[in-house]
Amino acid sequence: MKLLVIDVQNAVYTPALYAYDTFTANLTRLIESARRTGTEVIFIRHDDGAGEPLSPGNPGFEIAAPFSPRSGERIFDKQVNSPFRDSGLTEYLRRCGENTLMITGLQTEYCVDASVKCGFEHGFRIIVPAYANTTTDNAHLTGEQSYHYYNAFIWNRRYAACIPTADAIAMM
């Protein structure tokens, strides 16, 4: 199993996120547990291209301090919502013989959704720990509505096993 931490970058990791404190605590616990048990933690960063807040060289591009990668932990950069396209992640996971991914991060309806669905399409078993992904309000749904819509309705038992964070930690 590998723990994927999607787009927890300074530009998008803000207190405006739904259940910000719970998300922060859960993701911190998952990363610490993964490190303690030898489960590889893989970070994904979104790169919107030169001149954008989410581009290399801008402070917003960097992974937020509470989740900082340790020396030797892999970081894959992507230019689209899915980390499985043109980032090298898919090839790396295949070389490792990996078949189970625990997916966490930002934002639920964008890159986390693409990660869950594309990972499933690539044949990986997907685990989504509760309150280890989140998002902000958008023009159609609140962050809370988006969170519950994807975690309880769209992903669970279709693309992923959406489980309590404590259960996810016990799997490591």
Side-chain angles (χ1 to χ4, degrees), residues 4-14 17 23 27 31 42-46 54 60-69 104-107 112 132-134:
L4 297 187
V5 182
I6 311 293
D7 300 351
V8 290
Q9 294 163 265
N10 288 326
V12 289
Y13 175 70
T14 70
L17 293 163
F23 166 77
L27 185 54
I31 291 170
I42 299 174
F43 293 87
I44 309 296
R45 286 186 303 207
H46 193 89
L54 288 175
F61 180 75
E62 298 308 319
I63 295 169
F67 317 110
S68 295
T104 65
L106 303 175
Q107 289 178 266
V112 177
N133 70 83
T134 189

Side-chain angles (χ1 to χ4, degrees), residues 117-138:
K117 290 175 178 171
C118 292
F120 173 84
E121 287 296 319
H122 279 285
F124 295 102
R125 177 177 174 233
I126 306 296
I127 307 296
V128 178
Y131 292 96
N133 70 83
T134 189
T135 192
T136 57
D137 296 352
N138 63 49

